[in-house]
Amino acid sequence: MYTQGLDQQSSEDKKKSARDSGSSEDAAALAAFQKRVEAEEKIEAKDWMPDAYRRTLVRQISQHAHSEIIGMQPEGNWLTRAPSLKRKAILLAKVQDEAGHGLYLYSAAETLGVSREQMVADLLSGKAKYSSIFNYPTLTWADIGAIGWLVDGAAIMNQVPLCRCSYGPYARAMVRVCKEESFHQRQGFEIMLELSRGSEQQKAMAQDALDRWWWPSLMMFGPSDTDSRHSAQSMAWKIKRFSNDELRQKFVDVTVPQAQFLGLRVPDDKLRWNDATEHYEFGEIDWQEFHDVLAGNGPCNRERMAKRRRAHDEGAWVREAAEAYALKQAERQAA
Ligand code: BYC
C-alpha cells in the first residue's frame, strides 16, 4: 500500500514536472483530457485538468456567483415598496433564490481550489467582474417585471446549456439554478402582463421598462463573437455550448413574440422578421455603452459596489460568530 502510494506520488510528480516543462507528456495529458471532453465525460474536481481550463472556470463561475449576489440589489430596492403582500412575498422568495444561487456557485468554484475569501476579495477590490446588467437602476415597479421577464429570460437562455458544461460541479449546480430561474422569468412576465392589461398609465410604465431594459439585456450575452476572446477555447472545452451571438439571437427570437403578446413595442427600428433565415434581424448594440459599464462607469456601478462593501463589513460579526461556533463544535467533538 505504502509503496503503491509512493509510486503514485512519484508518477504524479513526474507528470507535473513534465507539464511544467512542456514536454511530450504534457501534450499527451492534454490530448487525453480533450478526448474525455469530446466523449462528453464530466470532468470532476479531483481529475487532472489543464491550468487554463481551471482558470477559465474559476473566472466564469466566480463572475456568475458575483452576478447573483450583486443582482439581489436592483430588485431588493423594491422589497419594501412592492404593491401588495403577495407581490412582496414572491419578490422576497426570488431575491433569496439569487442569494442561494450565489452560494451554490461559490461552492462549485471552491472545488477548483480557489477560496471563498479570495473570490469575495476579488469582487470587493473591483478585480473580478459581475454581469453588466446589474448596473442599471430600477426606477418603477415595472422594472421588477422587466428584470424577471428579460434578465431572467436571458439568464435561462445562457444557463440551460451550462447544465451540459463539461465541468461536473458547475453543470450540476446549474440544474437547480435553471429551475428556479424559470419561476423568476414567469413571475416577471406575469407582472408585465398585468401592467400591460391595466390602465394607460400602467401600460406606459411597462413600455418604459421595456425601453430601458431591452438593450442592456442583449448586452448580457457578452461581446459579439468576433470580439469574444474566450469563446473559441471555452467551446472547444465544452464549457460553453453556444457562442454569445447564437444565444443572443435565440433570445431575440423567443422574446419578440412575447412582447407582441403583451402589446408592447421592442425599442428597435431595425427589428424585422427574416423569412429566409427564420430569425429576427435586429439593430446594432451600443458596444461603447457595454464597455463603459464594464469599466465601472455604468449608471449604478459605484452604488452597487459601495452597498456590497458595506454589507460585507456589516456582516463581519456573523462570519466571526459562525467561525467561533464551528471551533466550539470541533473542540467538543475532539473532547
Ligand atoms: N457583463 O470572451 P467573452 C442572473 C466579460 S446572473 C460583464 O465573451 P466569456 C441573475 C467576460 O467576463 C447571470 N462582463 O467571455 C441574478 C470577459 O472578461 P474577462 C450572470 C462581461 O466568459 C440576479 C470579457 O467580457 N450569468 O441570472 O467566454 C437577478 C470578454 O467576454 C459580460 C453568468 O455569469 C457581461 N454581460 O463569455 C436576476 C453566466 N459579458 O473575464 C438574474 C455565466 C462578457 O476576460 N457566464 N463579459 O476580464 C457566461 O456564460 C460567460 O462568462 C459570458 C461571457 C457569456 C457572460
Side-chain angles (χ1 to χ4, degrees), residues 59 63 98 129 132 155 158 220 222 228-230 240 244:
R59 178 184 62 77
Q63 170 180 300
E98 279 144 16
K129 291 190 169 78
S132 50
N158 165 272
M220 275 181 80
S228 165
R229 56 178 173 260
H230 302 296
K240 284 167 91 161
N244 298 354

Side-chain angles (χ1 to χ4, degrees), residues 59-61 63-65 67-72 75 94 98 101 129-134 147 151-152 155-156 158-159 162 170 181 184 219-224 227-231 234 240 244 247 290 294:
R59 178 184 62 77
Q60 177 166 328
I61 303 173
Q63 170 180 300
H64 194 164
S67 304
E68 300 282 358
I69 298 299
I70 299 280
M72 290 157 62
E75 290 168 290
K94 178 182 192 289
E98 279 144 16
H101 297 174
K129 291 190 169 78
Y130 58 88
S131 182
S132 50
I133 193 75
F134 302 115
I147 290 183
V151 176
D152 289 281
I156 293 171
N158 165 272
Q159 291 172 22
L162 290 175
Y170 190 27
E181 297 291 17
H184 296 172
M219 293 175 198
M220 275 181 80
F221 293 94
S224 68
D227 295 327
S228 165
R229 56 178 173 260
H230 302 296
S231 278
S234 289
K240 284 167 91 161
N244 298 354
L247 291 173
F290 176 71
L294 259 59

